[in-house]
Structure formats: C-alpha cells, structure tokens
Amino acid sequence: QVQLVESGGGLVQAGGSLRLSCAASGIIFSGDLCGWYRQAPGAQRELVATITAGDSTNYGDSVKGRFTISRDNVKNTLYLQMNSLKPEDTAVYYCNAVRNTGTPWRRDYWGQGTQVTVSS
C-alpha cells in the first residue's frame, strides 16, 4: 500500500521560507516522476515542481527561482524548499508520485496535503 505523508507546512510571513517534506512508503520516489502540486481555495490544483528519475526538474512559472525540489533517495523523501514566499503562495500543498509515466497504465499517488499560509 502506497502512503505519502507531507509535513513542514505552516504560517509564515511574506519573504520567509519553509521546507516541505514528503515521506513515502510502498513506493520508491527515485523510480519515476514525482513532485509537488498546490491548490488554493476556489482554484484548480496546479503544478509547483516535478523531478524525474533522472533528476530533471520542472517548475511552475510562478515559483521559478524561488522554490527548489529535491529528493533524498536513501530516506525515500521528497522535499520542497520555498524561499521568498508571497501571499499568493498560500495553498494546500500535495506530494505526488507517479508510476508508469507516459503509458496508458499511468497511476498517480497523492499525499493528504499540508497547508501553507503566507501572511502579508
């Protein structure tokens, strides 16, 4: 059974930093695509950052240059370092792990989400 457990969310002032963590069981992050998504109230879930098995990264336009995704293969943990936070970064952040990327058998796994609130 796959479980993704996020931690590290909270309340921070604009300009501050937070680091999110996502610990996985039942799945290996380094085996395929994984990443972070977020959903603000009344908005659709959007891409924050992804990292491939080959360590290629991709970022949403609104976070480029401020957020960094990384992965610890020994701990099987995914991280999102968030710097220069803005009020518009306020959202629930979700960890995602994919199996069989690019095939009809693609399956996505999601964590329960962690709230990030940035005050102005």
Side-chain angles (χ1 to χ4, degrees):
Q1 183 179 0
V2 175
Q3 283 194 318
L4 305 177
V5 180
E6 301 103 332
S7 61
L11 174 64
V12 64
Q13 288 189 331
S17 298
L18 282 175
R19 188 176 82 153
L20 304 183
S21 300
C22 179
S25 59
I27 196 168
I28 304 298
F29 275 133
S30 61
D32 208 324
L33 182 70
C34 57
W36 293 92
Y37 291 74
R38 69 186 182 186
Q39 188 166 18
Q44 290 188 331
R45 190 171 296 190
E46 65 173 356
L47 166 74
V48 176
T50 60
I51 183 167
T52 69
D55 294 333
S56 294
T57 57
N58 182 50
Y59 294 92
D61 288 341
S62 62
V63 307
K64 284 179 182 176
R66 299 187 299 122
F67 291 11
T68 303
I69 188 170
S70 63
R71 188 182 62 221
D72 185 324
N73 295 337
V74 174
K75 295 181 179 180
N76 199 27
T77 300
L78 187 68
Y79 300 101
L80 183 69
Q81 178 65 44
M82 306 185 293
N83 298 328
S84 302
L85 283 160
K86 305 175 181 181
E88 50 265 42
D89 294 318
T90 295
V92 178
Y93 284 69
Y94 296 92
C95 177
N96 169 260
V98 181
R99 279 301 166 262
N100 303 315
T101 304
T103 76
W105 303 277
R106 172 177 174 143
R107 181 166 180 178
D108 286 70
Y109 299 91
W110 298 92
Q112 82 286 352
T114 186
Q115 177 71 47
V116 172
T117 303
V118 184
S119 63
S120 57

